[in-house]
Amino acid sequence: MSEKRVFGAMLAVLGASVAFAQSSLNDCANKLTVDGNLNNLYKDLTLPTSGAGIAGCEDTRVYWTSSDTTFLKNDGTIAARLINENKTVQLSANVTDGKQIETKKFNVSIHGYEPYSNYLFIYFPANNNENIYYAISNDGYNFTAMNGGNRVLAADSVSLKKGLRDPHILRAPDGYFYMVHTDMKSAEGWASNRGMVLMRSKDLVNWTHSTVHFPDKYKGTNFANVTRVWAPETIWDKDYENADGSKGRLMIYFSLLTNDGTIPYDKVYYLYANDDFTDVIGKPTYFFDRGSATIDMDIVYNENDSLYHGFFKNEKLGGIGKVTARTLTAPAGKEGSQWSAPSANLQQTTEAVEGAGVFKLINQDSWILMYDCYMNGHYQFTSSPDLTNFTFVQDTKMAGAFTPRHGTVLPITAEETARLMKAFPTADFEPKVIPIPDTLKVQASGEPVVGPCSGTKIVPYVKAGEGGWSESTNLLVEPGSDLLFGPHPWDGKIWKWSGPADFGATTREVTLKNLQWQNSGIYTVEYTNETGCKTYEKFKVVVNDPEHPYVEPVDTTEVDSSQQDSTGKDSISVGIADYRNPEIFASPIQIQYFDLNGSLLRVKPRQGVYLKREILGNGKARVTKIRM
C-alpha cells in the first residue's frame, strides 16, 4: 500500500476535517525543514508535528515515516549505526490538512559509529632530538608521554639525514597505518632537507620504511634541486583512478623550494604513493600556495559540508590560514584552481605558530585545531563545531616528558591502546575503554549493525551521615540524617537528578539534608557523556520511620497469559496515542518478579497472579500484573 493510501486511511480513522485555504498544501510541504545536519547525522532529530512556524500552514499536521526503522525510527530517533560507515535512510514528511496529503522526502545520512577509545599523538620533541615519540590521551587534549618519555622510533635507523621531523600519520581504508616525515637534521641548516621518509605498519609498533631522495629520484629535472621537502602528509584520494579500474590511492603532499629559481618560495606539491608505500609515482604536481611561502599544509575532509579543508602556515602573515575545495585535485592545466580564497588567520594567540594539526573528537561532531607555538615551547589546542570558528581550549604544560613539536593525533581503538601500552609501558596513564555498542543484527554483506551509542557506566558512590563512601544503591537511613550522592565519572559532563518530594538537581554531587519519611523513594540520576549518550542509575532511599513505613509504588497493568506470544513475551495492544510512548517500546535490561505483597521472588512463578518489574534501558521501570 502506498504512503498516501496509508495516511489517507489514518485520516479516515481520526475523522480529521480541518479547513485549509491559507496556503497550498504543496507549498507547506515544500517549506518544511528539519533542524540538524542531515548530511552527517550524529544526534536524534526533533521532527515538527505541524506546520506551526510556516506562514499559512499553521493548521497542517505532519506524520513521519522512515524507510528503514532499523536505523532511524519514525520519530527521528537514531536506533542503530554501521561501524565507520554512514547509512542513508529516507524520511518522509506526510503533510495533511485533514482532507489531502502531500509528501516531502529527506535523505538522512546517519554517521557511522567510530570504534575508538583513545588518542595517539605522534611528534618529535626538539631540534636537538629529531626522533619519534608517542603520547596518549583519553580526551584529545591532555596527553601523557609513552614509553617512559623515551623515543619509539630512532631516526638514525631509517633516515638518510639521521633526523625525523614533522611526523604525520594516517589510518587508510586498506587497514594499514601510514606515516611520513621530513628527512632532515636541523643542525645542518633549514635548507638541508632533500627528501622524505615513508613508513607503513599494521600495528603501530612495527614499521617498514623507505626514503625518497629527490636529487636521485628526479635527476635531470628542477626537482633534483630541492632545498626543502617539508612537512609531508598523506590523504586518501578516493577519486584516484588506478590502472585496473579501481579507485583510491594515497596522496602525499608537501612544501617544495628549489635553489634554481623554478620554485622561488615554498609551494605545496603532491605525488601519489606506489602500492606498497616504498616509493612515489611520477613527478610532483603543483597543489597550492598563498602567493608567498606556504608550508605545513594539513587537509581533512568534513562530511558535514562535503568539503576538503586545507590548513597551512603563511610565513608572510605569520599564522594558520585555511582554504576549502569540493574536489581534492583540479583538472590538468588548472592545478590549484580548486581551492577557495584563503581565510584570515585562525590561531587563537599572538604567539608565532606552525604545524597545524586537525582531528575530530571520537563520535562527536566537534573538531580540534592544534598548533605548535614553537618560539615558546608549547602546543595550543582549540575547538570548532564547523572548522571555521575556533575557540581556545588550553595550552600544553611547558614541563615534564611531554614536549611535542610539529606532530599529528590519531584516534585509536581500545585494542590498539592495549597493544601500545604493552610495547611502550606508560605507568602513569589509565586508558579509558569505550565499548562498542551491542550488535543488533548482521547485514547480508556481513557488516554488523550496532546500537546508536556507547553509554558511560555510572559508579554509584554514596555517603551517609559521618560514614565513608560506598557503592550502594539501597540505603536505609535514620530520620534527620544527611546523605551525599557522588557518582562517578567526575569529568564535568551533564548530570540530571529526579526523586521524591519534587527533588531535582543538575550537579554530580548532591546532598540531601535532614531526611524525613517524605524523602523516601527512588532517586534517579541521568548522565550524558561527551557523545550525547545517556545512562541511568537508581538509588533506593528508605528513611527508617516506623510511623510512616515506606511503601514501594507499583504502577500495574493487568495482562492475561493468553496475551503472550509464541516466545512467551507479553504482547501489548498499542493504539495511536501510544505510538510515541518510549516506555512501551524500550527493551528491559533487568526483570524481577514479586508477589502481590511486594516480596521479591527468586524465580518466575508458573501459576497464580504475580508482578513483573522490568528495568528499561532508558532508566525507567515498568510493572505488569500477570495472571497465569
Side-chain angles (χ1 to χ4, degrees):
M1 185 181 290
S2 70
E3 285 180 350
K4 287 193 176 183
R5 288 181 64 190
V6 169
F7 281 92
M10 181 184 292
L11 289 176
V13 171
L14 294 175
S17 58
V18 180
F20 187 81
Q22 296 96 324
S23 179
S24 78
L25 196 61
N26 183 262
D27 286 345
C28 292
N30 287 335
K31 292 176 182 177
L32 190 69
T33 59
V34 176
D35 290 336
N37 195 324
L38 304 189
N39 291 333
N40 192 31
L41 188 66
Y42 281 82
K43 297 183 178 180
D44 297 342
L45 294 169
T46 299
L47 301 176
T49 57
S50 72
I54 303 175
C57 304
E58 295 83 355
D59 292 330
T60 62
R61 295 191 67 185
V62 185
Y63 299 90
W64 295 86
T65 57
S66 166
S67 65
D68 193 340
T69 53
T70 295
F71 289 91
L72 188 67
K73 296 181 181 179
N74 293 326
D75 64 359
T77 301
I78 297 173
R81 301 181 194 267
L82 297 177
I83 294 179
N84 266 340
E85 181 184 346
N86 281 23
K87 172 66 178 180
T88 299
V89 176
Q90 192 171 78
L91 262 183
S92 296
N94 302 281
V95 184
T96 179
D97 60 356
K99 297 180 180 179
Q100 49 189 336
I101 298 169
E102 289 291 342
T103 300
K104 181 177 181 179
K105 296 182 182 295
F106 297 85
N107 287 326
V108 181
S109 183
I110 301 171
H111 187 82
Y113 184 83
E114 300 164 14
Y116 309 124
S117 288
N118 314 104
Y119 301 85
L120 179 66
F121 197 149
I122 299 94
Y123 62 97
F124 78 102
N127 288 339
N128 62 358
N129 184 0
E130 293 159 319
N131 298 284
I132 301 305
Y133 287 67
Y134 284 174
I136 195 164
S137 170
N138 284 328
D139 61 10
Y141 294 110
N142 301 286
F143 286 84
T144 301
M146 300 195 76
N147 202 34
N150 298 309
R151 69 189 182 186
V152 299
L153 283 170
D156 57 12
S157 65
V158 298
S159 164
L160 296 178
K161 286 287 187 176
K162 312 303 181 187
L164 292 173
R165 298 176 64 91
D166 318 323
H168 178 269
I169 192 167
L170 176 77
R171 182 195 300 270
D174 61 3
Y176 279 94
F177 298 97
Y178 293 89
M179 190 151 54
V180 286
H181 316 259
T182 305
D183 189 346
M184 174 181 163
K185 180 169 285 188
S186 59
E188 296 179 7
W190 298 114
S192 63
N193 169 221
R194 299 293 182 269
M196 53 190 173
V197 178
L198 313 183
M199 303 181 71
R200 185 170 76 158
S201 174
K202 268 286 189 181
D203 59 10
L204 295 168
V205 176
N206 303 287
W207 296 85
T208 60
H209 62 88
S210 59
T211 58
V212 181
H213 188 58
F214 277 53
D216 293 335
K217 179 74 176 178
Y218 299 109
K219 190 173 182 179
T221 74
N222 68 314
F223 298 117
N225 302 318
V226 294
T227 57
R228 294 177 186 171
V229 186
W230 273 6
E233 296 201 5
T234 55
I235 188 170
W236 185 259
D237 185 352
K238 59 184 176 61
D239 296 318
Y240 182 92
E241 294 188 11
N242 297 295
D244 62 359
S246 63
K247 283 195 171 185
R249 185 167 288 273
L250 276 173
M251 172 193 284
I252 308 173
Y253 55 95
F254 41 84
S255 297
L256 284 185
L257 178 69
T258 63
N259 59 11
D260 62 0
T262 57
I263 305 177
Y265 57 85
D266 303 84
K267 299 182 180 184
V268 184
Y269 282 72
Y270 70 88
L271 286 160
Y272 287 95
N274 66 355
D275 290 344
D276 60 5
F277 207 63
T278 58
D279 203 353
V280 292
I281 302 169
K283 294 181 180 179
T285 299
Y286 172 72
F287 207 18
F288 171 73
D289 77 89
R290 177 69 188 262
S292 58
T294 305
I295 64 171
D296 297 350
M297 196 165 191
D298 184 38
I299 304 170
V300 295
Y301 182 74
N302 186 5
E303 292 172 304
N304 285 2
D305 55 20
S306 301
L307 289 174
Y308 290 95
H309 294 250
F311 297 79
F312 60 90
K313 180 188 179 185
N314 185 296
E315 294 276 48
K316 186 175 182 179
L317 295 183
I320 306 297
K322 188 191 78 167
V323 287
T324 59
R326 285 285 171 194
T327 60
L328 188 57
T329 59
K334 296 184 179 180
E335 289 80 6
S337 63
Q338 72 271 36
W339 298 107
S340 68
S343 72
N345 283 353
L346 301 173
Q347 71 273 14
Q348 303 298 300
T349 180
T350 57
E351 297 181 60
V353 298
E354 64 184 17
V358 183
F359 62 97
K360 196 183 73 63
L361 291 175
I362 299 167
N363 286 310
Q364 299 176 61
D365 196 7
S366 180
W367 295 84
I368 304 301
L369 165 63
M370 63 180 194
Y371 34 79
D372 184 354
C373 300
Y374 60 96
M375 296 296 289
N376 293 320
H378 67 91
Y379 245 85
Q380 186 167 101
F381 292 82
T382 67
S383 68
S384 173
D386 53 14
L387 290 176
T388 298
N389 302 287
F390 295 88
T391 303
F392 169 80
V393 178
Q394 67 183 51
D395 293 328
T396 56
K397 296 178 181 178
M398 292 187 286
F402 180 55
T403 57
R405 294 292 315 278
H406 194 151
T408 50
V409 170
L410 176 77
I412 56 176
T413 67
E415 180 182 5
E416 290 160 353
T417 296
R419 185 188 306 129
L420 287 169
M421 293 286 285
K422 182 177 180 180
F424 310 112
T426 308
D428 49 353
F429 178 74
E430 182 66 33
K432 177 170 67 175
V433 176
I434 302 175
I436 297 174
D438 291 340
T439 297
L440 306 178
K441 62 182 290 188
V442 177
Q443 299 194 122
S445 61
E447 293 177 288
V449 176
V450 301
C453 64
S454 183
T456 301
K457 180 182 178 181
I458 298 174
V459 182
Y461 286 111
V462 291
K463 185 177 182 181
E466 299 299 320
W469 289 101
S470 70
E471 294 187 30
S472 176
T473 56
N474 287 280
L475 299 142
L476 179 64
V477 298
E478 296 303 314
S481 298
D482 293 346
L483 186 64
L484 174 60
F485 295 122
H488 284 190
W490 49 290
D491 54 10
K493 299 302 185 293
I494 302 172
W495 296 87
K496 182 180 179 181
W497 292 86
S498 61
D502 297 324
F503 169 76
T506 56
T507 56
R508 180 182 68 86
E509 287 196 353
V510 173
T511 300
L512 304 177
K513 291 183 175 295
N514 191 26
L515 288 166
Q516 303 300 321
W517 67 269
Q518 297 94 334
N519 303 117
S520 292
I522 304 298
Y523 290 79
T524 302
V525 62
E526 173 190 280
Y527 173 77
T528 306
N529 66 17
E530 62 271 21
T531 69
C533 201
K534 299 179 186 298
T535 46
Y536 302 84
E537 185 59 82
K538 290 181 179 292
F539 299 82
K540 180 179 177 180
V541 177
V542 175
V543 179
N544 188 23
D545 185 346
E547 294 185 7
H548 300 89
Y550 173 68
V551 178
E552 187 165 357
V554 176
D555 179 17
T556 64
T557 302
E558 188 162 338
V559 176
D560 233 325
S561 60
S562 60
Q563 291 181 276
Q564 294 184 334
D565 61 23
S566 59
T567 66
K569 295 180 179 178
D570 298 328
S571 60
I572 301 176
S573 299
V574 181
I576 292 175
D578 297 320
Y579 183 72
R580 296 177 186 271
N581 186 341
E583 273 67 60
I584 290 177
F585 295 97
S587 299
I589 60 175
Q590 183 182 358
I591 298 177
Q592 298 171 316
Y593 299 98
F594 298 84
D595 63 24
L596 294 184
N597 294 320
S599 298
L600 179 65
L601 303 175
R602 293 194 176 192
V603 296
K604 179 181 177 181
R606 294 175 179 266
Q607 60 184 4
V609 181
Y610 61 92
L611 302 176
K612 181 173 77 171
R613 184 170 185 259
E614 298 169 287
I615 307 299
L616 306 179
N618 60 8
K620 297 185 178 181
R622 174 172 59 205
V623 178
T624 309
K625 182 189 290 184
I626 297 179
R627 188 185 305 277
M628 298 296 291

